[in-house]
Amino acid sequence: MVDATASSAARIDGGGVTIVVAGTAAHIPGIIYWGPTLPADEDLAGLCAALTLPRAHGGLDLAHVHALFPEAGQAHFGTPGLEAFSTADGRTSRWITQFSVSAFIAIGPRLTVEAADAAAAIGLTLALELSDAGLLKARCTLHNQGSTPLFINWLMAPALPIPDTHQTLHSWHGRWCAEFQRAVRYWQPGSFTLESRTGRTSHEVFPGIASAATGITETTGQALAAHLAWSGNWRLQAEQYMPGLRQLIAGVLFMPGECVLAPGAAITTPDLLAVTSSTGWSGIADAFHSTARATVIMPRPDAPRPVHFNSWEAAYFKLDVPVLTELADRAAAVGAERFVVDDGWFKGRSDDKRALGDWTVDRHKFPDGLHPVIDHVRGLGLGFGIWVEPEMVNPDSDLMRAHPDWALGLPGLTQITGRQQLVLDLARPEVLEHIFGRLDALLTEYRIDYFKWDMNRVLTLPGRMTTGEPVAAAQTTALYALLARLRHAHPKTEIESCSSGGGRIDHGILKHVQRFWLSDNNDAHDRWRMNQEAALFFPPEVFGHHVGPSPCHTSGRELSMTFRAFSAAVGGHMGMELDLRVLANKDLDTLKAAIAFHKQWRDVLHKGVHRRLELAGPYLGASWALEDRLLVAVTQRDTLPHAAPSMVRLPGLAAGSRWNLRFAPALPIDNRGARAFISPFSGPDGLTLSAAALAATGFRLPPGWPDSLWLIEGMRAK
């Protein structure tokens, strides 16, 4: 414990990173150093002195403090950490704070700051923790120590400083079927705000932001990235405020009057995850990947992620026993390992206008329930999964006819439907109990390995019909509780987070699920870009990547089976979502070969170090390295602007190592429309090069047509 009665500092260390915080008893401390590990005997007092901010000319008679929890009461004129108030005797009180610090508690990688404002009767706990990968996890807990309720409009996680050497801000935007599009802008005075008011993480903007120095590459340069681990409404802000300092702040975006803290109660922010890197974007990705892999709880940790077949784009709502058993036969024949029945299996579900919420099997389609289908699927050696959308309900459903007040809405206002459905009020105990009961009964009666858990609409009028109170944040908290309860009751069942594709992807829900559905767009051309961008915050294996039909049902693009199948083989958690009954034998053979290739390299793809490659021209590429094996995948998205194809460089391989490379035999080189190009390692023996040569110059690809793919296998030479 560090004495906080005078100017003091404390440090935490983890994953090759040191963070030093400094402050006084009268001021919340701030981060003054965040970077590579400092010497154990570093003079923290000297570091504080070296970084002390001066008093500004024409300003107040105190030096500015760059705090973890900035306060308006301490002359912070940027966004404060807390915006709250209480009322007593008809007057507003407790609307501003000046916290006094009682202690810094620094032990190894963890730091806790305890503070209180006696006049405002509010307590504050700030917690920082560095992981073994060097990722910072920061959260804030606020305690109402007064005798009246505290109305909270805004509460942020600890504020993170941004170096003044950074020039650019990077954020990710999109829409349905076009998720994870990067936007880049320069730092400017003032605030740049990202937020979601949709009740979910959102397609339109991802709750992550990165700040970087000019000239950053995948492997060199300074960067810092932060992500709020929360699946509801949120706000994230990059702010350059007086006196020219910068900070990243984040928190839950509450509806008006939504967050009321009763006397004696406390509230904790979601975790703000952040990484600083001096090794470019790869340093950011490595820390987030390591964190995600440690977060995900796999029911069968030693088992590989099984290759999926999903029925949606094969049959849509036209499901019955003969259709599903024939699809299962064909899926097993090409190498699938799990068969997933999508929407359309439950009572009265002939389209998306009815029956959502009535989670009983349709006896017209399945007279004997799902047992014949599941028995057939398991007889083929496949696992079984099923689609559910438990948070939603159609107005035309038995559930709504019985409980019309169970849907979110406000008395006297018209609720807008989305995909002909409403949202259930999960935070009502009786609603949550009903949903759990239906899902529990389903998992108890049938051997179901996997839920595809969907959420196909945003929240509008997120209030309680009986009282009118806002419950958007409570909806997310209740969802987490439901998922945790299901895991406890059925620990062997895996869950995928799907929300019309990529509408609910974040590290908060990742504690409760095993994979994400990145996008409803199965177009392999589009998926390559999405995969590359999402891979900054998540390892590729948590994203399902399916082989879709051609033309693609969401983009209309026609692509060869070779490109679709082998892109999915290296794109993440491989699956299929197309009608196998209509494929030509040639395409079935290609699909089977791609699945076999995926299984051959699955251990490397799902456990190895992932690197996004820097390539010139219309190329995207990635590599995976695990122990003595290396896989490189590169796609040419458009027509080459030059006659010379790209050079492929492979940084980051072990110093002094040598690698034997060859084109993967499973994917022959496509020389259509080009003169024959014979690569030095296109033969069966390949070519052996040093790690130094591969990093500095690498090798040249053959020329290709748009939407060509190359796969290069590598083995470490003895």
Side-chain angles (χ1 to χ4, degrees), residues 243-259:
L245 298 175
R246 296 168 172 177
Q247 64 179 8
L248 286 181
I249 57 178
V252 175
L253 182 59
F254 294 114
M255 297 287 99
E258 182 176 16
C259 186

Side-chain angles (χ1 to χ4, degrees), residues 350-434:
S350 56
D351 53 37
D352 63 3
K353 297 179 175 63
R354 70 200 83 249
L356 199 64
D358 300 336
W359 301 109
T360 56
V361 176
D362 190 322
R363 294 289 173 167
H364 176 71
K365 296 179 179 179
F366 305 100
D368 299 312
L370 292 175
H371 294 293
V373 174
I374 295 176
D375 290 345
H376 185 83
V377 167
R378 292 198 173 277
L380 294 169
L382 279 63
F384 182 80
I386 202 165
W387 178 94
V388 291
E389 194 172 5
E391 301 156 74
M392 304 294 160
V393 64
N394 286 127
D396 183 5
S397 65
D398 292 343
L399 181 60
M400 270 294 91
R401 285 184 281 272
H403 301 285
D405 63 335
W406 278 15
L408 293 179
L410 291 173
L413 298 181
T414 301
Q415 178 63 285
I416 302 168
T417 58
R419 202 181 183 236
Q420 293 83 45
Q421 61 195 48
L422 302 171
V423 184
L424 290 168
D425 184 354
L426 296 190
R428 285 182 66 168
E430 63 271 32
V431 177
L432 202 65
E433 189 63 35
H434 171 82

Side-chain angles (χ1 to χ4, degrees), residues 471-486:
V471 291
Q475 190 83 357
T476 302
T477 303
L479 170 66
Y480 289 165
L482 174 60
L483 291 169
R485 186 177 176 189
L486 279 170

Side-chain angles (χ1 to χ4, degrees), residues 250 359 506 580 588:
W359 301 109
D506 60 82
L580 299 174
L588 288 170

